[in-house]
Amino acid sequence: MVTIDQANQDFAQKVQSKEGGETLMLCFQCGTCTASCPSGRMTAYKTRKLIRRAQLGMEEEVLNSPDLWMCTTCYSCMERCPRGVEIVDLITLLRNLAVEKGVMSEPHKKVGTMLVKYGGTVPLTEEYENQREALGLDRKPVSTLGNEKALADLKKILKATGFDELVGGN
Ligand code: SF4
Ligand code: SF4
């Protein structure tokens, strides 16, 4: 049950005012998103419930909830929502707000450490390089995975923004 002192309409308004949050109040709680969610079938995560809590301004519950990190961004819910709620954009925005408060799930942090270390969430291995060569590509991509200068620049950005510290450094 939500009591009036838990509701923080400033939070709901803040979400709506940001890119990705504009459709928050369109949700009329039909539950189609929850019924469509493959992640919800395996966990206690309920998309509809997360959105309702955001509508009610339950900032702490939403931003500290492990549920926030259960979405795999498969878009099944968003394709079916009868109200056109941009659910994945909302979840992304809520995650960004959580990160601003220094909150991130441990599995996401682990993925983040890969980015800090290698410049990509999947490191470049000799096997991948061999596959690239077999396809007639340069062994190393031009991205941060294969370009030392680009990787060094990315590391500077991740440090300046505090991302490396958030995910546990190098
Ligand atoms: S499908 Fe859309 S309208 Fe229905 S509960 Fe989910 S977000 Fe709300
Ligand atoms: S996008 Fe996220 S919330 Fe929507 S169905 Fe997929 S996993 Fe569930």
Side-chain angles (χ1 to χ4, degrees):
M1 184 195 295
V2 185
T3 58
I4 198 71
D5 61 320
Q6 287 176 289
N8 172 5
Q9 281 311 308
D10 288 348
F11 177 67
Q13 280 167 12
K14 179 178 170 182
V15 170
Q16 288 177 86
S17 71
K18 288 185 176 283
E19 190 176 348
E22 302 92 336
T23 58
L24 173 66
M25 289 304 180
L26 293 182
C27 172
F28 61 179
Q29 292 289 289
C30 70
T32 303
C33 50
T34 297
S36 309
C37 182
S39 180
R41 270 174 233 138
M42 312 297 290
T43 67
Y45 169 48
K46 301 281 178 282
T47 318
R48 179 194 62 78
K49 188 169 157 189
L50 186 73
I51 291 173
R52 186 59 180 151
R53 286 183 164 180
Q55 286 180 327
L56 291 172
M58 297 171 70
E59 181 175 5
E60 294 305 315
E61 289 80 357
V62 170
L63 300 187
N64 291 310
S65 171
D67 288 354
L68 187 54
W69 302 93
M70 296 293 175
C71 170
T72 61
T73 65
C74 72
Y75 283 83
S76 295
C77 54
M78 209 157 133
E79 287 182 0
R80 293 172 181 155
C81 174
R83 293 284 287 163
V85 179
E86 293 174 337
I87 301 166
V88 179
D89 296 353
L90 256 173
I91 290 170
T92 303
L93 169 60
L94 293 171
R95 284 180 179 176
N96 285 340
L97 294 175
V99 166
E100 278 178 17
K101 288 178 171 278
V103 178
M104 184 187 276
S105 78
E106 288 307 314
H108 282 75
K109 282 185 184 176
K110 279 187 187 154
V111 173
T113 60
M114 301 291 272
L115 182 67
V116 173
K117 194 167 180 181
Y118 301 110
T121 52
V122 178
L124 189 65
T125 63
E126 192 175 350
E127 185 187 343
Y128 288 151
E129 288 189 23
N130 290 342
Q131 286 176 355
R132 289 180 59 85
E133 193 169 38
L135 289 168
L137 301 169
D138 291 338
R139 283 186 68 80
K140 293 187 186 297
V142 292
S143 69
T144 48
L145 275 174
N147 181 314
E148 284 183 20
K149 162 97 175 54
L151 178 57
D153 289 346
L154 175 67
K155 286 188 178 191
K156 277 185 206 162
I157 292 169
L158 297 178
K159 190 171 185 60
T161 56
F163 183 87
D164 63 343
E165 196 177 336
L166 177 69
V167 299
N170 268 315

